[in-house]
Structures are given as structure tokens and as C-alpha cells.
Amino acid sequence: MLTNILNDINSILAPRVCFGCNAHLNRGEKLICTTCRNDLPLTDYTFNDENPVDRIFYGRINIKKASSMLYFSENGIVRELIHHLKYKNQEQIGTFLGDWYGQILKDNGELKNAIDVIIPVPLHKKKLRKRGYNQVASFAERLAFHLNAEYVDNILVKTANTKTQTKKGRIGRWQNIKDLYILSDHNALRNKNVLLVDDVITTGATMENCAKVLSQAPNTNVYIASMAVVP
Ligand SMILES: [Zn+2]
């Protein structure tokens, strides 16, 4: 609530600048300038042909298909966008990206009417309280809207408040915590095609962990999508 009010005040007081390059936005430009919009590194991956995101998960988990909207790089527009989305209360960036990618996936055919439920990778409740929102939520909600699926954020639950431990790498990151994610209701996902959504896929460890948990539901197919992937 307070976060929302502060957001409103902030958006009135702050000059409208591009989240990608800090240039002043012209009238009609939203969130990012036309140059950055044209420069956004779209992957062109969809849920049709096999792509490098699928290959991240080969031999690790049984998923139907994976895809990402953008390429992530350490010093680029995508990093700026996701940084603002995650740490600067700019939730509308997720809406913007979700509308864009949702439209791409919808126009693409293959996934249309294939997905029943869209689930964001959850935050622990303490982290959610602190940040005020799950940074994946608005992106996932817009995908759900365009793909005619149900957005569900209370079935997959994170049980511990793990810190970001980038130095530890794929194995150390969550191996020592059993059941880091659980299903609050096994039957709610029965016979469903579930699209699991996250912000950035790096090693794929988080997605792998969550997808394994989703697969515990009876006869569930798991798809994976993210805003960005580290190429
Ligand atoms: Zn820009």
C-alpha cells in the first residue's frame, strides 16, 4: 500500500527518462526510448522450434518446452530494465515486457490455447513483504492474459528465504536446502499444462528446482519461459 503511494509520488516527481539509457523520453514514448526499443535483443525464440533455452534443461528435468524473450548481458539495456523492475519499484516494466512477449507467443500459434495455468517463480513471503511485489508477477500476468490462461501464484510456494548466492554456482546454491519449493495443493494442477515463469535464466537451477516440484502434481506438463536468458 505504502509502496504504491510512494510509486505514484515518484512517477509524478521523477523526470521521465529511458530505463535503458537515461535519455529523456519524448511524448508517446513509454519506459524506454525508441532507440532502446529497437535495440532490445529479442531472441526470436518461441515455443515452436528447439532453441538454446531448451538445451539448458536437457538431461536435467522433463519439460515440454522452454523459451526466453531477450538475451541478457551484464552491461546492456536488458540488465537495466530487469534491475529497475527488481530493485527500483518499476513493476510496469514487467507489464510492458509481458504484453510484448505475450503478443509474440499468441501470434505464433503453437502455444495458443495450450497453456492452462501460468505460475511465477515465487518469492519467500518475507522477501515479498520487503519488496512489495514479486518482480515476475506482472510479466506472468500479461502472458496469462494473452495466452488465455489462468494466473496462479499460491500453489508453488518458497519455504525458505535464501539469499542470492551468485558465487556458489549451480550446485551449492540450493542443494543443502531440501524442499525449498513445495506445492500447497497437489490436485490443483492435475492434468494441467503449466507455464512456469521467471525473470532471468542463468544456470537454470531455479527453474529446474521449481519444475521438479510442479511435476509432482498428477499428469502435469511443464513449460518454461523467462524475460531473459544469459546466452
Ligand atoms: Zn534509451
Side-chain angles (χ1 to χ4, degrees):
M1 186 63 187
L2 181 64
T3 315
N4 287 338
I5 294 168
L6 290 174
N7 275 346
D8 288 344
I9 294 170
N10 193 45
S11 63
I12 293 164
L13 297 181
R16 287 173 10 98
V17 295
C18 170
F19 288 121
C21 70
N22 273 326
H24 278 271
L25 291 180
N26 294 319
R27 196 178 292 187
E29 289 178 336
K30 270 176 82 179
L31 306 178
I32 58 172
C33 70
T34 309
T35 310
C36 284
R37 185 184 285 247
N38 291 334
D39 284 351
L40 267 186
L42 288 166
T43 60
D44 288 328
Y45 303 153
T46 62
F47 285 81
N48 296 338
D49 300 329
E50 184 195 292
N51 66 54
V53 191
D54 291 305
R55 291 194 276 274
I56 291 174
F57 298 100
Y58 280 171
R60 294 168 65 183
I61 36 167
N62 189 16
I63 55 163
K64 276 280 184 188
K65 197 79 191 63
S67 190
S68 298
M69 178 185 180
L70 299 158
Y71 296 112
F72 186 90
S73 65
E74 265 314 314
N75 34 31
I77 306 165
V78 177
R79 188 197 165 278
E80 285 303 316
L81 286 176
I82 289 176
H83 180 80
H84 279 87
L85 168 63
K86 225 169 152 173
Y87 303 111
K88 306 277 180 183
N89 283 320
Q90 299 301 329
E91 218 187 340
Q92 74 266 29
I93 290 170
T95 308
F96 165 75
L97 294 177
D99 273 329
W100 190 339
Y101 202 43
Q103 198 65 52
I104 289 174
L105 294 177
K106 185 179 168 184
D107 293 345
N108 206 262
E110 196 89 348
L111 209 63
K112 206 175 175 185
N113 302 321
I115 300 297
D116 301 304
V117 173
I118 297 193
I119 295 183
V121 167
L123 299 181
H124 185 258
K125 57 176 191 276
K126 274 188 189 162
K127 180 99 157 249
L128 184 62
R129 214 178 298 136
K130 196 173 167 208
R131 185 171 292 165
Y133 58 96
N134 179 341
Q135 74 275 8
V136 184
S138 54
F139 181 74
E141 277 168 346
R142 295 317 292 167
L143 291 187
F145 172 80
H146 290 285
L147 296 176
N148 208 11
E150 190 187 352
Y151 173 78
V152 174
D153 65 359
N154 58 354
I155 302 281
L156 183 64
V157 178
K158 191 171 186 188
T159 58
N161 196 12
T162 46
K163 293 225 167 73
T164 317
Q165 295 172 12
T166 41
K167 283 176 197 157
K168 281 197 172 179
R170 183 188 292 180
I171 296 166
R173 197 174 295 192
W174 49 267
Q175 198 188 37
N176 49 355
I177 303 163
K178 258 195 163 182
D179 305 324
L180 182 54
Y181 297 92
I182 55 162
L183 290 182
S184 65
D185 179 351
H186 274 72
N187 276 315
L189 301 179
R190 180 187 290 272
N191 301 327
K192 304 275 192 201
N193 290 325
V194 178
L195 177 62
L196 175 67
V197 178
D198 203 358
D199 45 18
V200 183
I201 294 175
T202 309
T203 63
T206 304
M207 286 295 214
E208 180 182 359
N209 208 3
C210 288
K212 273 183 184 155
V213 174
L214 291 176
S215 314
Q216 292 167 3
N219 194 28
T220 301
N221 293 314
V222 180
Y223 296 73
I224 279 173
S226 70
M227 296 173 207
V229 62
V230 178

